[in-house]
Amino acid sequence: MKSAKLVDRYLARLIAVPLAATMVIAAMLLLLEKMLNLFDFVAQQGGPVSVVWKMLANLIPEYLSLGIPIGLMLGVLLAFRRLATSSELDVLLAVGVSYRRLLRVPYLYAITLALVNFAIVGFIEPYARYAYENLRYELRSGALGASIKVGEFSKLGKQMTIRVERSAQGGRDLSGIFVMAQGTAGKRLAVTAQHGRFLATDDPNTIIFRLQHGVLVRDAPGFASPRVLQFTSNDLPIDLPKEEAFRQRGGRNAELTMPELAKSGHLRSLAKKERAKFRAELHFRLVEVATMLLLPLLGVALAVPPKRSSSALGVFLSIVMIVTYHKVNEYAEALGSLGRVQPFLALWIPFLLFAALIWWMYRTLTTVPGGQPIGALERQSAKIGATVKRWIAWARRERKGAAA
């Protein structure tokens, strides 16, 4: 009993390192790719850089839901691969520790991470996705505040236009300022100033534009001539653009929690096609979570290479299988959303086929003497590799002969 616990702890450590590393690396790569697009989007909309980090934070749940299955898969695979290539697996099997017993720790990881992923895709990610879309809306509508672009005429609402020649200290110190404002009843205001800065007020919908060393020209239908005023300091109140109410959460299926999807999928007041969309999204999430319970079996089946082989084909094949199956699920969800196929059948039939394939691979490894589910692929890969090496060697000899 004590030795079995030692094996469990040893296996848990072997799985933990590649699992955590893969999850972090996968999430970071996805975030870095998205970061470039977000910086470009925020810059075009004239928003502050800080909103990029808020938007990326709201994308973390989505990317974690993608990284967790890959991390679990590679964690189990690399741990068992190390046991196999170091002959530790042969020793464990020889002393009576079966594959079923060794799978206890991987399944503890799988069940725990499946519950975590269920919470993410079922409840956390919908709210994060809604917050992300809300930030995009605020950027486009200007609700994050006024953005002044240097050297360009910028609109603040419908009545005011501002142009700034120079900006320093992150936009806090502005120089070469021109302001044109249109008031009610034909009133007009034009201001030029050497320097200026925006100041907050107690009213979140109003800011103060404090101008220094300038000229103010005021005109109105009742004036015989425009009134000109030179000033050393003048405060110009500016009403920020009012934020229109953002739509309620649920405008997209990805923003609904699982209970909300289940409820909406059976509302008789909705059209049949709309109900199909909700059910397809629900079954897609359930299938993605359920697939995590198959990954320990797949990891073990692909981790053990043929004897006297150190090929990493199983690692490559595992990633290909997971990505391909994910794309199949996306296609099945699209079919189910269109109402051409029942969402339940469209998502769960591929799941059963994938589960049958994994079970066959696992049974081949554990019950067939000398059985290797990827043995044929290993042999073909070795032959192709040898052919490529011979071709490269021949090309080098030909190149040396031509040079001589």
Side-chain angles (χ1 to χ4, degrees):
M1 180 65 66
K2 185 176 180 180
S3 60
K5 291 183 178 180
L6 289 175
V7 172
D8 288 342
R9 287 197 291 268
Y10 177 59
L11 192 56
R13 289 196 301 270
L14 290 181
I15 295 174
V17 175
L19 187 154
T22 303
M23 284 174 50
V24 172
I25 292 173
M28 289 302 297
L29 288 176
L30 292 170
L31 284 174
L32 287 174
E33 180 186 6
K34 191 67 175 181
M35 185 188 301
L36 298 177
N37 295 330
L38 287 180
F39 270 119
D40 183 59
F41 172 73
V42 172
Q44 289 180 359
Q45 301 298 325
V49 176
S50 60
V51 75
V52 175
W53 312 120
K54 295 179 182 179
M55 297 177 78
L56 287 175
N58 287 313
L59 289 175
I60 289 177
E62 178 182 352
Y63 292 155
L64 274 180
S65 68
L66 298 175
I68 287 175
I70 297 177
L72 174 63
M73 175 75 236
L74 292 182
V76 175
L77 191 151
L78 294 176
F80 274 84
R81 176 179 167 76
R82 177 174 174 178
L83 292 178
T85 55
S86 63
S87 299
E88 291 175 302
L89 182 60
D90 294 332
V91 174
L92 291 172
L93 295 175
V95 298
V97 182
S98 64
Y99 278 105
R100 181 180 298 180
R101 177 64 181 81
L102 290 173
L103 280 171
R104 179 178 297 181
V105 171
Y107 264 101
L108 287 176
Y109 275 107
I111 292 172
T112 302
L113 291 176
L115 292 175
V116 171
N117 214 22
F118 180 83
I120 291 175
V121 301
F123 301 93
I124 300 175
E125 187 179 338
Y127 285 96
R129 170 56 65 174
Y130 177 72
Y132 174 82
E133 295 296 336
N134 192 8
L135 287 171
R136 285 176 59 89
Y137 169 83
E138 289 178 341
L139 274 175
R140 287 174 172 167
S141 64
L144 286 174
S147 171
I148 305 301
K149 297 182 180 180
V150 175
E152 298 181 13
F153 289 95
S154 302
K155 285 280 190 180
L156 289 182
K158 298 180 180 180
Q159 309 296 331
M160 185 173 292
T161 303
I162 294 180
R163 189 178 189 276
V164 175
E165 290 291 344
R166 293 176 299 278
S167 176
Q169 298 183 6
R172 291 188 294 273
D173 188 3
L174 306 175
S175 304
I177 300 165
F178 170 78
V179 179
M180 173 64 76
Q182 185 75 32
T184 58
K187 296 179 181 179
R188 293 187 301 274
L189 178 69
V191 184
T192 60
Q194 295 180 13
H195 303 284
R197 62 172 52 199
F198 288 104
L199 302 174
T201 66
D202 294 334
D203 185 358
N205 295 320
T206 303
I207 58 175
I208 293 296
F209 195 11
R210 179 160 293 172
L211 303 172
Q212 296 178 341
H213 305 291
V215 177
L216 183 150
V217 180
R218 188 186 301 273
D219 192 15
F223 293 171
S225 61
R227 297 179 180 178
V228 181
L229 172 66
Q230 289 187 340
F231 60 85
T232 302
S233 178
N234 183 65
D235 289 344
L236 185 65
I238 298 177
D239 295 329
L240 291 175
K242 293 184 179 180
E243 177 184 359
E244 297 179 2
F246 186 50
R247 59 175 172 77
Q248 295 293 319
R249 184 176 60 85
R252 300 179 181 178
N253 293 344
E255 298 171 1
L256 294 176
T257 63
M258 282 191 178
E260 291 169 342
L261 287 172
K263 181 180 178 180
S264 301
H266 294 85
L267 287 177
R268 295 299 178 183
S269 58
L270 297 177
K272 183 178 180 180
K273 189 174 181 179
E274 291 297 319
R275 296 200 304 270
K277 291 181 180 179
F278 291 123
R279 293 201 301 272
E281 176 69 20
L282 174 64
H283 287 294
F284 174 79
R285 297 188 197 179
L286 291 174
V287 163
E288 290 286 301
V289 174
T291 302
M292 294 185 62
L293 300 179
L294 304 176
L295 297 183
L297 297 178
L298 180 61
V300 172
L302 295 176
V304 183
K307 297 301 180 182
R308 297 181 298 277
S309 173
S310 58
S311 172
L313 181 62
V315 179
F316 170 76
L317 188 59
S318 68
I319 297 175
V320 171
M321 290 180 67
I322 290 178
V323 173
T324 301
Y325 178 65
H326 179 70
K327 293 300 180 182
V328 169
N329 281 343
E330 289 182 342
Y331 178 72
E333 181 200 7
L335 286 180
S337 299
L338 295 175
R340 297 177 181 176
V341 184
Q342 285 292 332
F344 179 84
L345 299 177
L347 273 302
W348 288 100
I349 288 179
F351 172 81
L352 293 177
L353 294 175
F354 189 58
L357 174 62
I358 293 175
W359 181 249
W360 171 81
M361 295 175 67
Y362 173 74
R363 293 287 294 175
T364 300
L365 175 69
T366 58
T367 61
V368 178
Q372 298 292 339
I374 60 172
L377 291 176
E378 290 271 8
R379 290 189 292 271
Q380 293 299 323
S381 176
K383 290 179 180 179
I384 293 173
T387 302
V388 171
K389 288 179 180 179
R390 287 196 299 269
W391 184 85
I392 293 175
W394 175 82
R396 286 177 177 175
R397 287 195 302 268
E398 290 294 321
R399 191 180 299 112
K400 290 179 179 179

